[in-house]
């Protein structure tokens, strides 16, 4: 039986590759403590993250390779966002260290578990992760541009923790990693139906 070959050369994958290539420049902005460059480059990464998924869905360009590439770019962007906050906003991070530790541990746990169990990162692209990405991106951008908003920070924190727990549950319970699963609730419906 012949398997259909994926078209790896498309706009969504090019945007994911851009995000990966931008990581050293974001690192440079963090190391030189250039807040303006950091927020500009990180914002571009966040916007291209939204665009690559949107374009892939609209034009039916979703591929397994693209899902994995997007996940690698997401991980790099999340790491840069965390490192940027830790480096550029030491006092803020120190004031909310428990919250940041919780976010980091819950985010890292499914990544590490998936690497150990499946030798790759998860690429579920859950709806909860998409919402979390939007909330976190808006939080980081608005924090650097407009300042801190307590209620929004805690909303972002709660939604992020729930999304990370959903991913951890899936990594623990699924027999193999799959891409583009959307939601634990849809998976449970499919099992029951």
């Amino acid at each position: 039986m012949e398997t259909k070959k994926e078209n790896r050369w498309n706009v969504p994958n090019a945007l994911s590759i851009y995000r990966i290539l931008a990581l050293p420049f974001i690192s440079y902005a963090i190391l030189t403590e250039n807040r303006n460059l950091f927020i500009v480059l990180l914002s571009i990464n966040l916007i291209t993250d939204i665009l690559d998924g949107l374009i892939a869905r609209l034009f039916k360009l979703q591929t397994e390779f693209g899902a994995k590439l997007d996940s690698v770019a997401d991980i790099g962007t999340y790491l840069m966002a965390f490192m940027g906050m830790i480096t550029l906003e030491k006092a803020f991070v120190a004031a909310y260290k428990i919250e940041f530790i919780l976010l980091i541990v819950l985010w890292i746990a499914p990544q590490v578990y998936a690497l150990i169990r499946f030798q790759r990162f998860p690429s579920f692209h859950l709806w909860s992760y998409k919402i979390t990405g939007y909330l976190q991106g808006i939080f980081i951008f608005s924090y650097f541009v407009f300042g801190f908003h307590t209620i929004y920070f805690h909303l972002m924190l709660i939604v992020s923790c729930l999304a990370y727990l959903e991913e951890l549950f899936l990594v623990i319970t699924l027999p193999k990693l799959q891409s583009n699963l959307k939601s634990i609730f849809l998976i449970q419906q499919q099992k029951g139906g």
Side-chain angles (χ1 to χ4, degrees):
M1 181 154 99
E2 191 176 312
T3 58
K4 184 180 172 191
K5 188 171 173 156
E6 290 186 336
N7 177 16
R8 294 182 175 189
W9 299 106
N10 58 45
V11 172
N13 290 353
L15 291 172
S16 292
I17 290 169
Y18 161 79
R19 289 185 329 176
I20 293 168
L21 294 175
L23 297 175
F25 298 98
I26 298 172
S27 296
Y28 171 79
I30 293 168
L31 291 172
T32 60
E33 298 188 10
N34 186 331
R35 292 170 53 93
N36 292 335
L37 182 61
F38 168 73
I39 195 60
V40 167
L41 293 175
L42 188 69
S43 294
I44 293 169
N45 260 33
L46 295 170
I47 290 166
T48 55
D49 183 24
I50 294 167
L51 290 175
D52 73 1
L54 184 64
I55 293 168
R57 286 186 297 280
L58 282 176
F59 296 99
K60 305 208 183 314
L61 297 170
Q62 294 169 299
T63 64
E64 186 67 26
F65 174 77
K68 291 175 184 176
L69 190 66
D70 179 62
S71 292
V72 170
D74 286 346
I75 288 168
T77 302
Y78 281 130
L79 287 173
M80 291 300 106
F82 283 131
M83 294 308 299
M85 290 299 291
I86 291 167
T87 303
L88 302 173
E89 294 298 325
K90 292 176 181 77
F92 172 71
V93 172
Y96 291 94
K97 67 181 169 207
I98 301 298
E99 290 87 344
F100 274 94
I101 290 169
L102 181 64
L103 271 179
I104 292 168
V105 168
L106 287 178
W107 177 72
I108 288 176
Q111 311 305 321
V112 170
Y113 191 79
L115 274 178
I116 292 168
R117 186 168 178 217
F118 302 107
Q119 291 74 53
R120 74 176 181 96
F121 294 115
S123 56
F124 299 135
H125 295 102
L126 301 167
W127 289 333
S128 61
Y129 246 72
K130 290 180 189 340
I131 293 168
T132 296
Y134 292 135
L135 291 175
Q136 288 179 354
I138 292 167
F139 170 75
I140 291 169
F141 179 80
S142 65
Y143 177 88
F144 279 94
V145 175
F146 303 112
F148 177 63
H149 298 281
T150 307
I151 293 172
Y152 189 82
F153 173 71
H154 287 97
L155 171 68
M156 180 272 301
L157 180 73
I158 290 166
V159 172
S160 298
C161 289
L162 290 173
Y164 299 157
L165 288 170
E166 180 182 21
E167 183 175 55
L168 180 61
F169 179 80
L170 290 173
V171 168
I172 291 170
T173 60
L174 290 176
K176 65 178 187 166
L177 285 185
Q178 302 169 38
S179 296
N180 303 318
L181 293 180
K182 306 302 176 214
S183 167
I184 193 170
F185 302 110
L186 291 177
I187 295 166
Q188 293 303 322
Q189 279 182 340
Q190 290 170 352
K191 284 183 182 177

